[in-house]
Amino acid sequence: MSVHANYIAGSWVEGPDASKNVNPSDLSDVVGEYARADRAQAEQAIAAARAAFPKWSMTTLQERHDLLDKIGNTILARKEELGRLLSREEGKTLPEGIGEAARAGQIFKFFAGEVLRIQGEKLASVRPGIDVEITREPIGVIGLITPWNFPIAIPAWKIAPALAYGNCVVFKPADLVPGSAWALSQIIVDSGVPAGVFNLVMGRGSVVGEAFVASKDIDAITFTGSVGTGRSIALRCAELGKKVQLEMGGKNPMVILDDADLNTAVGAATNSAFFSTGQRCTASSRLIVTEGIHDRFVAAMTEKLKALKVDNALKQGTDIGPVVDQSQLDQDLSYIDIGVKEGAKLAVGGERLNRETEGFYLSPALFTETTSDMRINREEIFGPVASVVRVKDYEQALATANDTEFGLSAGIATSSLKHASHFKRASQAGMVMVNLPTAGVDYHVPFGGRKGSSYGPREQGRYAAEFYTVVKTAYTFPG
C-alpha cells in the first residue's frame, strides 16, 4: 500500500513517518496510509506559503473565482465517492457522508461568488478636498487546524475563504482521519492552485500544530477542536501577535415545552443528540423538558431510540454508525458509568454492540432523572449520550439552558410564538433553532458561539471576511 504524501511548495512529499487510517465500522479495513510530517517539513510548508503570498495576494478576482468554482464543481461531481470515503474513515452514515461532501462543494462555490463581492467604502473626509477609502486586504499566511468529526466540510469552510480573500494556506487535518482531507487537497492541487499557495501538512498536533503556532511567518491561526488546546493556542498567538479564530466545545440544550408537538420534539431531539453518533460540537446532549410533557416525551424518545439501527456506516438503512475510535468509545463508556454513579437513570442504551464486522459500536444512551450539577450535564461527552432534565416551566427551562460555560447552539420545541421569540433573544448561544435540531446549519450564514465555545470572528458566510481579511483606511488629497 503506497503512502499518501504531504503537499509542500507545489510537490507531493513523503514524510519521515506514516499512520494507518482504520475504518471504525470494520477494524480489518485499512483506508490507507498517510504521511506524518516532522517539524522541518511543517516549516518548509510555511516558508513556501510565505514566498507565494506576494504574488497570490495580487491575483485578479477572476483568477481566484475561477479556481474556487472549479474546486466546488469537482467536489460536487464526486460527492458520492468522497462521501463514501468520509463514512468509511470517520463512521457517520453514508447519506451523512455524501451530504457533508456536497456541503464542501457548495462552500467553495459560495466563496467563488464572494470573491466577486469583496466590498469597501469611499467616504468624504471631515477635512475639505480629501477622500477616504476603506478596503479589505488578505492577512498573509494562515495556519488551518481541523478536527476529525467533519473531515471535509470544516477544512472546506476554512480553506475556501482563505484562498478567496487572497491568503496562502498551510493545512493540518486531524491525524485520526486524514483521508477526506487528502482527497480534498488533491482536488485543490489538480484544479491549478499555484505552488506554495496551498500546502497540506499531515501529522500530529504536537509536532505540526506546534510548528504553526510557533512560527513568526504565520499571520493567523484558525482552529477547531478541544477547549484545552484552543485556549493554549489563543495564549500563544496573543504572545506573538497572531490573529486567532477558535471553535471549541459545546454542551448544547434542547428545550421541550408542554405545548410542543411531540413528534416534532422527538424528531429534533433524536437528530440533535444522536445522529452522526453524537460526534458534533452542535449536538444537544441536554434535553430540558417541562413537567407537563416530560413523561410522554421520555416514553416516545425511549421507543424511538430502541428502533434506531446501529451498524456499519456504509450499510443501507443504518441510522447511527460507530464511534470514531477506541479512545472516544472509552470516553463515552466512562461518562455512562459516571452518570449511573451520579444517580441518573439509564433509561435506554449505553451498551457496547457486536455487529457483523468488528467496530466501535455503541447503542444510543438516554439518561433521565438528572440534574444540572451532574458531570454528564456539565462536560462535553462527544458521543451518542444525552440526558433529560425535568423543569417546572419555561422560565426554569431557559435558566437551565443558559447554565453552562458553553454557548454554541441551543434549540426549543414549542408552538408558542411568545416563548420562541423570547428564547431566540434570551438564549446565550451563538445559534438558536426553533422546532429544528441544534445541529445542521446552512453554508452561507455565520457559524459560531459564545462563552467557552468560540473565540474570534465567525466562520462561514459573508462574516468570514472578518477573520480572513484586514481593514485598511487610505486618505487621498488630489492636490
Side-chain angles (χ1 to χ4, degrees), residues 25-28 309-312 315 353-359 361:
S25 293
D26 181 358
L27 303 189
S28 67
K309 182 179 179 181
V310 181
D311 208 332
N312 191 307
K315 273 190 176 181
L353 301 174
N354 294 316
R355 291 295 181 259
E356 184 179 346
T357 52
E358 184 182 1
Y361 298 106

Side-chain angles (χ1 to χ4, degrees), residues 93-104:
T93 65
L94 184 56
E96 289 175 317
I98 294 171
E100 182 180 333
R103 180 176 175 180

Side-chain angles (χ1 to χ4, degrees), residues 290-329:
T290 50
E291 289 180 333
I293 198 173
H294 177 275
D295 291 351
R296 289 184 294 131
F297 175 79
V298 168
M301 279 293 293
T302 300
E303 292 306 308
K304 179 75 170 179
L305 295 184
K306 287 179 179 178
L308 293 177
K309 182 179 179 181
V310 181
D311 208 332
N312 191 307
L314 300 180
K315 273 190 176 181
Q316 186 175 1
T318 295
D319 296 305
I320 299 175
V323 175
V324 71
D325 71 350
Q326 185 66 54
S327 176
Q328 187 62 49
L329 179 63

